[in-house]
Each structure stands twice: as C-alpha cells, then as structure tokens.
Amino acid sequence: MARVGPKLNQSNTLLMISSIYTSLTKAEKKVADFVKSNPEESVLATVTDLSEQAGVGETSVIRFCRKLGFRGFHEFKLSVAQDLVDRPPSLSNMEIEEEDDVFTVARKVTMKHEMLIKNTLDLVNVESLTSAVDKMLAAKRIFVYGVGSSGITALDLHYRLMRLGMSVEVQRDSHIIAMSAALVGKGDLVFGISTSGSTRDLVDPVRQAKLNGAVVICLTSHLRSPIAAHADTVLLVPSKELPMEGGALSTKFTQIHILNILTTLISMKKDTADQSLEKTARSVADKLY
Amino acid sequence: MARVGPKLNQSNTLLMISSIYTSLTKAEKKVADFVKSNPEESVLATVTDLSEQAGVGETSVIRFCRKLGFRGFHEFKLSVAQDLVDRPPSLSNMEIEEEDDVFTVARKVTMKHEMLIKNTLDLVNVESLTSAVDKMLAAKRIFVYGVGSSGITALDLHYRLMRLGMSVEVQRDSHIIAMSAALVGKGDLVFGISTSGSTRDLVDPVRQAKLNGAVVICLTSHLRSPIAAHADTVLLVPSKELPMEGGALSTKFTQIHILNILTTLISMKKDTADQSLEKTARSVADKLY
DNA sequence: CCGCTAATCGGAGAAATACTCCATGTTCAA
DNA sequence: TTGAACATGGAGTATTTCTCCGATTAGCGG
C-alpha cells in the first residue's frame, strides 16, 4: 500500500488519525484517542510517557506511529507539532443541543460544514488530485460505482463529468457493478466511491477491475481500507468525527466538495469543457417557463 | 542568562536565531548558519548529524539550543518544525485562473464553498424552515420530485428522510412525476426541487398537486419563480452560479447544506429518529469486510 | 613575546529515549 | 476445543541526547 505521507507537507496528522482509526487495533485506538484529545501534551511526551498515559505498551505507540506512515515516534511528534501551529479555535459548543432553536441549529450546522470543508482541504493530497485528473482525462472509458449514500454521490460525479462532455457510465446496483467490473480492461478507469471503504459490493468489483488491468481511483474516508488497498489513486475525505447530527450524513458534504474540486480541475485541463457545458445548458433551456 | 521563551507558542525560532546571533560564540554561529540555511534538514537531523554538518562538536549544538531558550535539542527541533509550516499566502483573487496550480484551485473552491454556505445561512428564513419541518412531520405521505441535477438532490433528501424512518417516495422521471402528482391528495406533501424554479417538468406537477389539496414545499434558488408561486413553503438557496467552474454546480452544494439543516431539525423533533438511524446503520453492517 | 585567565570547544561516557525481538495473551474460525 | 493469526507489552538493544571535564583558544597585561 502506498505510504500515507512522508511528512513535512501540509497534511493534517490529527485528521489522518481519524481516517485510519477503524483500521487500528484496540491498543492503538487508545493511543489515538489520547493524542487526539491531548495533542499538545503528546508532542512533549516521550514514548514511555505516552504509553503510560494511554495505558498501553511502548511498542503499541511505535506501531501506531508506523501505521500513520511515519518512520517512528520522532517523525510523528514533529508532524503533530506542525499541526498545532494554527489550530482551529475550539469547536466546543458546536454540539447541537436539544433545546437549540431553529436558527441556532442552522448556524451550528453551517459552522460544522465550514469546518468540514476546511478539514477536507487539509487532507487533500495534491499528488492524488493531480494524478486523478490526469488518469481520468486519459481513460478510454470511465465507470463510476457506488451503493447506498455513496451511490448518490456517484450519480453526482457522473452528472458533472457528463456535463463536461466526458463519456461516463455510472452503476449503483451491486450486481450490475460486479458484472460491469468484470468487463473492464486496459485503458478503462474505475472510480469507486465508498465512505467506509469496506463495502463488499464495491471492494470485490474494484479488485476485479484492477486485475483486469483497469486504472482504479477511489473516494473514501478510510485510508487503510480494503478499497484503498486496490486503488491506484486514493482521494481522502475526512471521516465523520462529528457525533449526533441528523442523518450523520456530513460525509456526503465533503464528498461533493472534493468532487467539485476535481471536476473544476478537469474542466480547466479539458479544452472542450466550456463548449460542452454550454451545449448541455442550452439543451434544457426550452424546458423552462 | 534569561530564558528567551519557553516554547510551543508561535514565536518564530528562525528569527530568534538572528536576534541573538551576535551573542553567539564562533562554533554556535556555525550551527546557527547551518540551521538558518537548511531548516528542513535540521529538523530531521540528530545532534550528531547537525554537529557534523556544521563542523562543530555535539556539545556546541546543545549549548546553542539552550541559548535560544529551549530545554534541549529536542524542543528546539519541534519549534523549528513549527516555523516550517508555510501558511499559504492569502489568495489575491478568488477567481480561478487558467494558470492556478492544483492546490490553489482547491483552496479557491473551498473558499467559494465556504462563502456559499454562509450566504445560505443569510438567506435562511426561520419561519420557512420551521414550517417545512412541521409540515413534513405532519404529512401522511411525502413525495420528493426533481429532474436533472436537482433530481440527484432529490435522491439525497429521500435517502436522509428514509434513514430517519420516514416513508418517502422520490421520482426523477418527468412523466412519472406528472402521474404521481396527479394522484396525491389532502394530507400528502410534495417536495419539489428545482434550482431555476422554472422547469416545466416540475412546475406543472407541483401546480397539479397543489390543486389536488397537497401541501407543497419547494427548494429553489429563485424566489419569484413559477414553482415558488405554487408552494406553501419556499426554501431558498443562493442562486449565484459561480462563473467558470467545472459544471457550475455549486448550487448542489447549498442544496445539500440546507437539506442537512432541515433533516437535522427533523431528527430533533422526531423521537424515533435515533433508533431509525441505528437500525438502518446496523442493517448494512454485514455488508462490510 | 610570554604568561595568565577566562571563555570556548569537543570527546568520552552517562543518561535518556526510541526501537526490536520475542514470549504470551486474545480472538476467531473450524 | 484446538490451532492459527493477530495483538500486546516487557526485556533487552540501539540510538540519541546530554553531562562532565580536560584541552584549546582568545584576550590581555606585562
């Protein structure tokens, strides 16, 4: 699997912790929890300190750092220190309370969304984005797959690409996804969307597509997930770390956000994009009053 | 000697070095010179590395760190690491330009989205929201309609409401929307989504539904549009289609935003919402690896 | 130029810290 | 229940930081 990120570039380590959280073991999760709630102290602590505070063995701390892609504890601390530089003002009081009035709820949701898209930007990997754009422009055929909520995101991506004049197919039915993936080959590109990254209905077809020689891009919130393991390029969005919210569907928000970045980049590189947008817009003009 | 500064607050260590430079000894100056011209490497180096590179003894390196006010080499490195995070220069121009690099584009899109959701909040009408929530909770049946891009938003709304345990039907086919609307009646609620508010395929069915006695809510960017004229409640999102951007699809963003506010409010008022969310989440758990 | 003092410097080893290896515990599937 | 794979922490090792102290140099008065 591709390394998470060496270091010293602007990638938010604390967010990264969330994105691999589910793939951590119990002891490692303890470490993650402590670091996330006490980043300042973690930076100053030694391996022994941290292991004691988290209630695990030193070895688990080291393993935790390695899983994040660092060479060791030292690199990890440096990176966290960098995250602390301009830490967003505490997000306390953002929790929605039972007795909040309508406008307060609206404001809190807005603030959460604002934070979410900033976090998305922090997590954005320029190389991944660039490579995704290039691969998509180079692909002979593009297939977008997703089920459930991610299936709706898939429709959105399809719509955007179609408007830009690209020939794309979208599938949301797990059986059809499987069949479709069985038929792809060299020169094709599969774009798999799965928040968890562990959805069988996505993972298996994506693996198959990869074996068939297709290029694979995936959009997920979990970097160390099965789907990411099979992907050539991974687009990572923050995983919901915001508890309690109606539908807990904030991931959709960040997905749309990064897809908008992606399609904006594509439209910049594709010279016929503007015309396509215009043509498609005109095509529905007479459907209006 | 007085300690310069403890640490871990934003004081530029590299500048600090300059400011005490004259008071440094010859060997310490060598260290200072090296650090100032190779800060990245210095952060990664060990005391021994650094002393070799600077051509001095290890002890001089330590003394150098102490003179800067740090407790030791380690603290010094952490602080320099923090100096290295480069705050990207503030964007001179929010408009996306042909020659912008990938990261700049990402930042600009992010800022636009941030503005958009703030604008959405400004437009939010508390009464409309409240009445929408009440009506939806009171409705016998709910029908969500949308075509094109708004059809995808419709799917999203349907998904959210379904997760909250509400019985909702979504239609994206203009013929079926027409038929469906012909059959609604008193006690039913129609939720029409149309950015322009002028889409015939939405306006006509919505008018019909209204005549049939259904309650109508619409989500649009145009307050004085045909669809709004037939609605009991209008949810308004900013219309600013941002110029030049892939697909000009930022409206989708604000739509999702306000729908998240809406569904959050609904989940607060609906006491079985939490259970429904849990049930639906569990239902797909065994589809994961 | 010499000799003295104080500041400076770096190496050797001590202390602290990070890391490796491996035995043991845990989980889970058969 | 047993076996296999995985997870875990402790004991020992390697690495790094730091301390101590003797050697060296610079400054200065004669």
Side-chain angles (χ1 to χ4, degrees):
Chain A
M1 191 201 57
R3 269 193 51 159
V4 174
K7 43 168 303 36
L8 280 187
N9 48 358
Q10 69 287 20
S11 67
N12 193 317
T13 306
L14 295 174
L15 286 177
M16 195 76 83
I17 293 174
S18 307
S19 82
I20 65 158
Y21 191 80
T22 49
S23 74
L24 297 176
T25 68
K26 208 169 5 171
E28 286 160 1
K29 279 193 177 106
K30 283 190 197 169
V31 180
D33 291 338
F34 182 82
V35 171
K36 289 234 299 173
S37 40
N38 308 75
E40 291 90 352
E41 293 158 45
S42 304
V43 165
L44 297 177
T46 68
V47 175
T48 317
D49 292 344
L50 195 51
S51 69
E52 270 175 25
Q53 299 253 30
V56 301
E58 297 181 15
T59 320
S60 295
V61 174
I62 307 269
R63 274 190 292 256
F64 167 76
C65 299
R66 297 262 161 80
K67 274 207 183 162
L68 277 166
F70 299 104
R71 269 214 307 262
F73 183 65
H74 208 109
E75 273 192 9
F76 165 76
K77 278 208 299 185
L78 283 174
S79 192
V80 173
Q82 297 187 318
D83 285 356
L84 290 177
V85 173
D86 41 11
R87 235 160 100 64
S90 76
L91 45 105
S92 62
N93 236 344
M94 290 244 312
E95 281 316 308
I96 291 166
E97 321 256 339
E98 201 64 44
E99 66 274 15
D100 285 343
D101 64 21
V102 171
F103 191 64
T104 306
V105 172
R107 260 190 23 235
K108 286 186 175 176
V109 173
T110 302
M111 285 181 63
K112 277 187 181 177
H113 283 179
E114 204 181 313
M115 244 187 54
L116 274 173
I117 61 176
K118 278 184 184 158
N119 286 349
T120 307
L121 185 63
D122 279 346
L123 223 43
V124 142
N125 183 322
V126 170
E127 285 160 44
S128 299
L129 258 183
T130 311
S131 109
V133 170
D134 292 342
K135 282 170 179 151
M136 290 175 79
L137 285 172
K140 213 167 57 194
R141 301 186 297 173
I142 296 182
F143 298 83
V144 183
Y145 301 148
V147 296
S149 173
S150 298
I152 300 175
T153 309
L155 286 179
D156 196 69
L157 175 58
H158 168 258
Y159 177 83
R160 285 161 197 265
L161 295 176
M162 180 268 291
R163 292 276 319 255
L164 294 177
M166 297 173 75
S167 173
V168 181
E169 203 180 300
V170 59
Q171 300 297 349
R172 302 196 292 147
D173 177 301
S174 58
H175 285 217
I176 298 180
I177 289 173
M179 297 179 203
S180 170
L183 295 174
V184 302
K186 251 199 157 47
D188 293 334
L189 184 146
V190 164
F191 197 116
I193 304 179
S194 165
T195 300
S196 72
S198 304
T199 316
R200 282 169 201 255
D201 295 327
L202 257 286
V203 175
D204 294 342
V206 158
R207 182 194 299 120
Q208 184 60 53
K210 180 81 189 140
L211 286 175
N212 289 356
V215 171
V216 172
I217 299 178
C218 80
L219 174 58
T220 182
S221 288
H222 296 280
L223 190 55
R224 295 180 58 96
S225 59
I227 206 176
H230 300 119
D232 297 292
T233 301
V234 178
L235 297 177
L236 191 64
V237 291
S239 51
K240 49 138 208 281
E241 43 184 331
L242 308 170
M244 162 52 194
E245 81 188 73
L249 294 169
S250 42
T251 306
K252 158 63 58 81
F253 208 70
T254 56
Q255 286 177 346
I256 300 270
H257 178 57
I258 203 163
L259 288 184
N260 208 353
I261 293 173
L262 184 72
T263 49
T264 300
L265 288 165
I266 289 176
S267 75
M268 286 169 68
K269 279 216 180 178
K270 189 170 186 301
D271 22 299
T272 56
D274 288 355
Q275 302 154 42
S276 302
L277 271 179
E278 250 191 75
K279 278 188 199 170
T280 49
R282 263 205 311 276
S283 71
V284 291
D286 68 345
K287 294 191 179 300
L288 301 182
Y289 270 113
Chain B
M1 186 199 57
R3 275 190 53 159
V4 176
K7 41 159 310 345
L8 275 189
N9 43 2
Q10 65 284 26
S11 61
N12 193 318
T13 307
L14 295 175
L15 284 180
M16 183 106 68
I17 293 174
S18 307
S19 78
I20 65 160
Y21 191 80
T22 48
S23 73
L24 296 176
T25 68
K26 204 163 21 168
E28 287 160 0
K29 278 189 176 118
K30 283 190 195 171
V31 179
D33 291 340
F34 182 81
V35 171
K36 291 235 297 173
S37 42
N38 307 75
E40 291 90 353
E41 292 158 47
S42 305
V43 166
L44 297 177
T46 69
V47 174
T48 317
D49 292 344
L50 194 52
S51 68
E52 269 176 23
Q53 298 255 28
V56 301
E58 298 180 13
T59 320
S60 296
V61 174
I62 308 270
R63 273 190 292 257
F64 168 76
C65 298
R66 296 264 162 80
K67 275 207 183 163
L68 278 167
F70 300 104
R71 268 214 309 262
F73 183 63
H74 208 110
E75 274 191 9
F76 164 76
K77 279 208 297 184
L78 282 174
S79 190
V80 174
Q82 295 188 317
D83 285 356
L84 289 179
V85 306
D86 47 345
R87 259 172 268 279
S90 63
L91 295 169
S92 53
N93 180 1
M94 293 254 302
E95 286 313 309
I96 292 167
E97 322 250 336
E98 198 64 44
E99 66 274 12
D100 285 342
D101 64 20
V102 171
F103 191 60
T104 306
V105 172
R107 283 175 62 214
K108 286 185 175 175
V109 173
T110 301
M111 283 189 66
K112 281 186 180 176
H113 282 179
E114 205 181 314
M115 257 184 44
L116 274 173
I117 61 176
K118 279 183 183 158
N119 289 347
T120 307
L121 185 62
D122 288 342
L123 273 182
V124 143
N125 182 323
V126 172
E127 288 156 44
S128 299
L129 260 182
T130 313
S131 107
V133 170
D134 293 342
K135 283 170 179 152
M136 289 174 78
L137 284 172
K140 212 169 59 194
R141 299 187 298 173
I142 297 181
F143 298 82
V144 183
Y145 301 148
V147 297
S149 173
S150 298
I152 300 174
T153 308
L155 285 179
D156 196 68
L157 175 59
H158 168 258
Y159 177 83
R160 285 162 197 264
L161 295 176
M162 181 267 290
R163 291 277 320 256
L164 294 177
M166 297 173 76
S167 172
V168 182
E169 203 180 299
V170 59
Q171 300 299 346
R172 302 195 292 147
D173 178 300
S174 58
H175 285 216
I176 298 180
I177 290 174
M179 297 179 205
S180 170
L183 295 174
V184 302
K186 249 197 157 45
D188 293 334
L189 184 146
V190 163
F191 198 115
I193 304 178
S194 165
T195 301
S196 71
S198 304
T199 316
R200 282 169 202 254
D201 295 325
L202 257 286
V203 175
D204 295 342
V206 158
R207 183 194 299 120
Q208 183 61 53
K210 180 78 189 147
L211 287 174
N212 289 356
V215 172
V216 171
I217 300 177
C218 78
L219 174 58
T220 181
S221 289
H222 297 280
L223 188 56
R224 301 181 61 88
S225 60
I227 205 175
H230 301 118
D232 298 292
T233 302
V234 179
L235 297 176
L236 194 63
V237 291
S239 59
K240 272 272 176 49
E241 279 296 346
L242 303 168
M244 164 53 194
E245 89 185 66
L249 293 168
S250 41
T251 305
K252 157 63 56 80
F253 208 71
T254 56
Q255 286 177 347
I256 301 269
H257 177 57
I258 203 159
L259 289 184
N260 209 354
I261 293 174
L262 183 73
T263 49
T264 300
L265 287 166
I266 289 176
S267 75
M268 286 170 67
K269 281 217 181 179
K270 189 172 185 301
D271 23 297
T272 56
D274 289 355
Q275 303 155 41
S276 303
L277 272 178
E278 249 192 77
K279 278 188 198 169
T280 49
R282 263 206 310 275
S283 71
V284 291
D286 68 344
K287 294 191 178 303
L288 302 182
Y289 269 112

